[in-house]
């Protein structure tokens, strides 16, 4: 009985401490900022969209299509987002499908840190999707798996880039920069390679890129005086997008530890629907589990790129629908089967989440009332 009481008290203290650490600097966007979120309708055109179309090709690791998609990412950042640092993380592995031949796996990391901050002192919002496609069936595109999530992350990076500059410039001007009053916050996008199994899913035939990266980052120490011991410890939350882009997704809250972050994401969806800023009108929200209570969390989860990071103690927000879209791992998972309004709505929701995480309220672009009106989907349909 006594033991139990102590346990409950400790649990409460722990919950309060975790809550305080996790939510202190998260600032919801105003309605105005939600209205003003950057939006380029053509981004996600499956034939010509700047962001998505170049990814809708087979991209099996080690093939020319795979290399073309890497070039697309690098060229996109070089041309549109030159302030983001790029890091290539290379590894090789044999696979059950390719025998003794070593297959190259290349993770691509794009990162923006506050310009004054030491590398080991920055905690990073880490947005993740895999860009490789299934080895078989031949010609498999993997539009929801995970071309669309990759395109969504390009959209997020471009949508917050100017606001990051504005916010950090203002912090430098006010003397707030590096004052130690706030944690240093950066953002990084991980395009992971080799998520898919080549023959059948196992601990060794899957997650090739994620396993190599988690191991490498864990064993790369930052300078001794750093806030975070390694790049792995610098991940403040690992937000993994997968299988997004089919209509009527239902994304559960998978982990109690990050349910508070799920609730923020769901709140964004709810607010944007009320403000008529989303195109889709599903019977149920994409993120329906805000009110999940602690005893409803089960041990069940989907095996995905977060596993090697979660095993090392990283907090995970897994944005993956369950049930999976019907096209999953079939030849029908192509551009024609994407629901583009759903893709665009996800892009807006994730962008708002990133902006809130990075405290960009007050730094996001503004538009005139007329421009704003044109962004409401109810008004658009009346035209
Ligand atoms: Zn897959």
């Amino acid at each position: 009985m006594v033991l139990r009481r102590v346990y409950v008290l400790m649990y409460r203290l722990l919950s309060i401490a975790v809550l305080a650490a996790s939510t202190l600097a998260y600032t919801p966007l105003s309605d105005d900022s939600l209205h003003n979120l950057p939006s380029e309708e053509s981004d996600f055109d499956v034939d010509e969209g700047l962001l998505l179309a170049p990814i809708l090709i087979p991209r099996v690791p080690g093939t020319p299509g795979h290399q073309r998609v890497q070039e697309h990412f690098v060229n996109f950042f070089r041309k549109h987002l030159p302030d983001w640092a790029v890091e290539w993380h290379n590894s090789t592995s044999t696979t059950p499908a390719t025998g003794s031949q070593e297959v190259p796996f290349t993770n691509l990391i794009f990162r923006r840190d506050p310009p004054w901050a030491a590398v080991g002192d920055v905690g990073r919002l880490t947005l993740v999707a895999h860009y490789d496609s299934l080895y078989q069936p031949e010609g498999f595109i993997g539009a929801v798996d995970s071309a669309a999530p990759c395109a969504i992350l390009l959209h997020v990076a471009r949508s917050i880039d100017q606001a990051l500059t504005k916010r950090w410039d203002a912090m430098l001007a006010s003397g707030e920069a590096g004052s130690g009053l706030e944690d240093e916050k950066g953002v990084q996008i991980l395009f992971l390679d080799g998520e898919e199994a080549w023959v059948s899913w196992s601990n060794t035939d899957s997650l090739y890129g994620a396993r190599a990266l988690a191991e490498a980052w864990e064993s790369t120490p930052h300078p001794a005086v750093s806030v975070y011991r390694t790049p792995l410890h610098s991940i403040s939350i690992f937000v993994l997008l997968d299988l997004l882009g089919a209509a009527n997704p239902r994304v559960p809250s998978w982990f109690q530890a990050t349910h508070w972050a799920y609730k923020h994401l769901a709140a964004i969806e709810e607010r944007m629907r009320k403000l008529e800023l989303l195109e889709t009108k599903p019977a149920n929200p994409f993120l329906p589990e805000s009110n999940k209570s602690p005893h409803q969390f089960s041990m069940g989860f989907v095996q995905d790129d977060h596993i090697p990071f979660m095993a090392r103690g990283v907090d995970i927000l897994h944005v993956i629908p369950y049930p999976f879209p019907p096209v999953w791992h079939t030849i029908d998972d192509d551009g024609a089967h994407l629901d583009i309004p759903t893709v665009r709505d996800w892009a807006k929701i994730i962008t708002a989440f990133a902006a809130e995480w990075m405290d960009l309220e007050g730094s996001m672009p503004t538009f005139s009332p007329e421009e704003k009106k044109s962004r409401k989907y109810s008004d658009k349909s009346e035209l």
Side-chain angles (χ1 to χ4, degrees):
M1 191 69 177
V2 173
L3 191 65
R4 188 185 147 83
R5 268 201 203 144
V6 169
Y7 170 78
V8 169
L9 182 65
M10 276 182 64
Y11 176 75
R12 278 201 191 136
L13 287 173
L14 202 66
S15 319
I16 291 164
V18 168
L19 200 69
S22 314
T23 55
L24 262 182
Y26 186 100
T27 317
L29 290 180
S30 63
D31 286 0
D32 253 15
S33 293
L34 289 177
H35 274 281
N36 291 339
L37 285 178
S39 153
E40 284 289 335
E41 298 221 347
S42 59
D43 276 351
F44 298 105
D45 186 286
V46 294
D47 298 315
E48 289 171 5
L50 174 71
L51 304 190
L52 177 60
I55 316 175
L56 291 174
I57 55 173
R59 41 194 193 284
V60 175
T63 65
H66 184 251
Q67 203 178 333
R68 283 219 298 279
V69 173
Q70 292 171 2
E71 286 162 10
H72 166 54
F73 294 148
V74 171
N75 291 339
F76 177 83
F77 277 88
R78 191 179 292 147
K79 186 166 173 202
H80 301 280
L81 304 169
D83 290 332
W84 294 62
V86 55
E87 186 181 316
W88 295 71
H89 175 261
N90 298 304
S91 62
T92 63
S93 176
T94 58
T95 82
T98 51
S100 59
Q101 185 204 332
E102 293 279 335
V103 177
F105 294 101
T106 305
N107 301 311
L108 275 164
I109 298 117
F110 298 93
R111 180 179 296 143
R112 260 203 100 175
D113 287 346
W116 60 83
V119 68
D121 293 348
V122 184
R124 301 190 185 96
L125 169 63
T126 301
L127 304 167
V128 189
H130 77 87
Y131 74 94
D132 61 304
S133 64
L134 269 180
Y135 176 60
Q136 303 229 300
E138 203 174 323
F140 178 82
I141 299 289
V144 302
D145 187 13
S146 259
C150 288
I152 289 168
L153 293 185
L154 295 177
H155 174 93
V156 172
R158 195 189 54 198
S159 302
I160 62 170
D161 183 59
Q162 283 181 12
L164 285 173
T165 304
K166 194 173 165 187
R167 163 121 175 101
W168 289 338
D169 283 353
M171 287 173 76
L172 279 167
S174 69
E176 201 187 333
S179 63
L181 292 173
E182 275 198 65
D183 291 346
E184 307 291 11
K185 273 191 194 180
V187 55
Q188 61 189 352
I189 290 179
L190 273 49
F191 293 116
L192 296 181
D193 198 5
E195 187 268 346
E196 302 285 9
W198 289 62
V199 175
S200 65
W201 191 279
S202 71
N203 288 344
T204 50
D205 186 18
S206 68
L207 314 181
Y208 292 89
R211 285 187 285 124
L213 187 65
E215 195 183 326
W217 275 5
E218 189 184 34
S219 54
T220 308
H222 282 144
V225 293
S226 302
V227 174
Y228 302 100
R229 273 196 290 140
T230 72
L232 187 98
H233 294 87
S234 297
I235 299 173
S236 32
I237 191 166
F238 187 102
V239 183
L240 175 58
L241 275 49
D242 204 355
L243 304 185
L244 301 181
N248 301 311
R250 181 192 171 276
V251 172
S253 179
W254 293 98
F255 303 113
Q256 199 180 338
T258 52
H259 186 58
W260 66 273
Y262 178 97
K263 286 202 281 191
H264 282 307
L265 199 61
I268 289 167
E269 183 194 5
E270 193 186 342
R271 289 180 61 208
M272 292 191 87
R273 290 206 185 284
K274 277 195 188 133
L275 294 166
E276 297 175 354
L277 295 170
L278 299 182
E279 288 173 71
T280 57
K281 304 235 179 312
N284 297 299
F286 293 179
L287 298 148
E289 292 198 340
S290 266
N291 297 323
K292 197 167 187 169
S293 54
H295 71 270
Q296 289 176 302
F297 285 88
S298 69
M299 297 300 285
F301 56 86
V302 177
Q303 302 249 339
D304 205 344
D305 275 330
H306 59 298
I307 299 287
F309 293 86
M310 192 165 78
R312 291 169 169 84
V314 174
D315 273 344
I316 310 293
L317 181 61
H318 198 189
V319 186
I320 188 170
Y322 194 80
F324 292 170
V327 296
W328 176 67
H329 282 194
T330 73
I331 200 74
D332 282 344
D333 185 9
D334 57 13
H337 288 82
L338 283 173
D339 187 64
I340 300 302
T342 300
V343 177
R344 283 198 290 252
D345 282 354
W346 276 122
K348 285 182 199 140
I349 294 166
I350 305 294
T351 297
F353 180 81
E356 294 192 347
W357 189 282
M358 299 303 293
D359 293 322
L360 298 182
E361 174 57 21
S363 306
M364 295 298 279
T366 52
F367 296 102
S368 69
E370 287 72 34
E371 283 172 311
K372 237 189 272 181
K373 205 171 171 218
S374 74
R375 288 165 171 261
K376 276 176 85 164
Y377 283 93
S378 58
D379 296 334
K380 264 188 194 169
S381 56
E382 280 163 24
L383 293 176

